[in-house]
């Protein structure tokens, strides 16, 4: 069992930055892929970014890939999502999730393949 807790959300202005954190407890976190997803009111859950256990590669949605950076500190059991140049369309509840199964560049974006989820943190970008 892996428990995930997100933090770092808040209300910011257009162009501001935020850093979200996902702290894990339970099993060896370093063996898991961690993904970030978001869900805006009235919209479906959307993949944002993911980082495998060996962080040679990272994965991003097209809408954030030039602005967001995902990183991890396995020693601290924490994954980060640095969000720069925030836009109103980034407003959503952000969730981190963990999975242990193998993946491809396509399936790493599939939320249904993640086994554990945090409770989410609200990010609101005001114009």
């Amino acid at each position: 069992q892996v428990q995930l807790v997100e933090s770092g959300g808040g209300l910011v202005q257009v162009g501001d930055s935020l850093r979200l954190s996902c702290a894990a407890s339970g099993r060896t976190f370093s063996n898991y892929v961690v993904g970030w997803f978001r869900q805006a009111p009235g919209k479906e859950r959307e993949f944002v970014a993911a980082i495998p256990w060996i962080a040679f590669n990272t994965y991003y949605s097209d809408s954030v890939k030039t602005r967001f950076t995902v990183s991890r500190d396995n020693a601290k059991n924490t994954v980060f999502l640095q969000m720069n140049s925030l836009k109103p369309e980034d407003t959503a509840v952000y969730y981190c999730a963990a999975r242990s199964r193998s993946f491809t560049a396509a399936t790493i974006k599939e939320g249904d393949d993640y086994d554990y989820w945090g409770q989410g943190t609200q990010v609101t970008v005001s114009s």
Side-chain angles (χ1 to χ4, degrees):
Q1 191 79 7
V2 174
Q3 293 79 42
L4 304 172
V5 178
E6 304 94 334
S7 61
L11 172 63
V12 296
Q13 301 295 314
V14 170
D16 284 352
S17 297
L18 275 176
R19 188 175 81 156
L20 305 183
S21 298
C22 173
S25 60
R27 291 184 177 178
T28 304
F29 187 55
S30 59
N31 295 332
Y32 286 80
V33 174
V34 175
W36 286 96
F37 295 80
R38 67 187 182 187
Q39 188 165 21
K43 295 188 177 181
E44 293 187 352
R45 184 180 62 199
E46 174 188 21
F47 169 78
V48 176
I51 185 166
W53 48 83
I54 301 175
F56 292 150
N57 293 313
T58 52
Y59 301 83
Y60 300 94
S61 68
D62 288 342
S63 61
V64 309
K65 63 184 178 182
T66 62
R67 301 181 294 122
F68 291 9
T69 301
V70 61
S71 61
R72 68 191 296 160
D73 186 336
N74 286 338
K76 296 182 178 180
N77 280 354
T78 303
V79 171
F80 305 98
L81 183 67
Q82 178 67 42
M83 306 186 296
N84 298 328
S85 303
L86 283 162
K87 305 176 180 180
E89 51 263 43
D90 295 319
T91 295
V93 177
Y94 284 70
Y95 300 90
C96 67
R99 59 182 285 171
S100 60
R101 68 194 74 184
S102 60
F103 63 92
T104 65
T107 62
I108 201 171
K109 302 177 181 180
E110 296 294 331
D112 289 346
D113 287 350
Y114 286 75
D115 304 304
Y116 305 103
W117 291 82
Q119 82 290 347
T121 186
Q122 176 71 46
V123 172
T124 303
V125 184
S126 173
S127 57

